[in-house]
């Protein structure tokens, strides 16, 4: 059974604040990548393409975590909670809106193999 957790964390900057918010989000990458359960943690900017015309926030983190416990531990780190308090929740923050969602790659009724315990 797959235990990986995929997270898309999107951020909509306040007008004129996209560059500043992107830089703050980039500053979270080095320490997060040091976490044992972090498999991928990349901040990205939305770009235009005639082949991908969907709606999106301007900035998105693409994250892969070894398991839910690793993701939830990450969310409780001081650096992360302070980011949300300062840049999302505070009136003076750089983000107008944000959306953080987690996903699994497992089908709903996946017939996962059961391994014998040694």
């Amino acid at each position: 059974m797959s235990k990986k957790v995929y997270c898309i964390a999107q951020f909509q900057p306040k007008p004129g604040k996209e560059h500043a918010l992107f830089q703050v989000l980039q500053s979270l990458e080095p320490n997060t990548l040091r976490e044992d359960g972090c498999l991928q943690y990349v901040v990205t900017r939305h770009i235009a393409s005639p082949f991908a015309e969907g709606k999106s926030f301007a900035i998105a983190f693409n994250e892969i975590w070894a398991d839910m416990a690793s993701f939830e531990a990450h969310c409780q780190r001081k650096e992360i909670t302070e980011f949300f308090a300062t840049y999302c929740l505070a009136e003076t923050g750089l983000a107008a809106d944000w959306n953080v969602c987690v996903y699994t790659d497992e089908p709903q009724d996946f017939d996962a193999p059961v391994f014998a315990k040694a």
Side-chain angles (χ1 to χ4, degrees):
M1 172 158 78
S2 174
K3 293 183 180 173
K4 287 182 186 169
V5 173
Y6 301 83
C7 176
I8 304 296
Q10 295 185 320
F11 299 90
Q12 186 62 43
K14 290 180 179 174
K17 301 297 181 183
E18 182 174 346
H19 180 70
L21 182 57
F22 191 81
Q23 285 186 312
V24 170
L25 290 166
Q26 276 186 314
S27 75
L28 300 174
E29 288 179 335
N31 284 337
T32 299
L33 290 168
R34 288 185 178 96
E35 295 179 49
D36 285 339
C38 181
L39 304 177
Q40 175 179 301
Y41 195 76
V42 179
V43 66
T44 60
R45 293 181 309 102
H46 184 258
I47 57 174
S49 169
F51 299 100
E53 298 184 53
K55 295 180 182 175
S56 176
F57 285 10
I59 301 171
F61 256 114
N62 295 277
E63 308 172 25
I64 303 175
W65 295 91
D67 51 39
M68 187 62 81
S70 298
F71 169 74
E72 291 177 350
H74 162 75
C75 293
Q76 296 174 65
R77 284 186 49 237
K78 182 179 178 183
E79 185 177 32
I80 302 305
T81 59
E82 286 180 356
F83 162 79
F84 277 98
T86 303
Y87 298 102
C88 296
L89 298 171
E91 193 68 32
T92 57
L94 301 174
D97 199 4
W98 57 95
N99 184 39
V100 179
C101 297
V102 292
Y103 305 86
T104 180
D105 59 359
E106 224 175 78
Q108 192 165 357
D109 296 318
F110 181 56
D111 182 24
V114 178
F115 296 98
K117 296 189 185 222

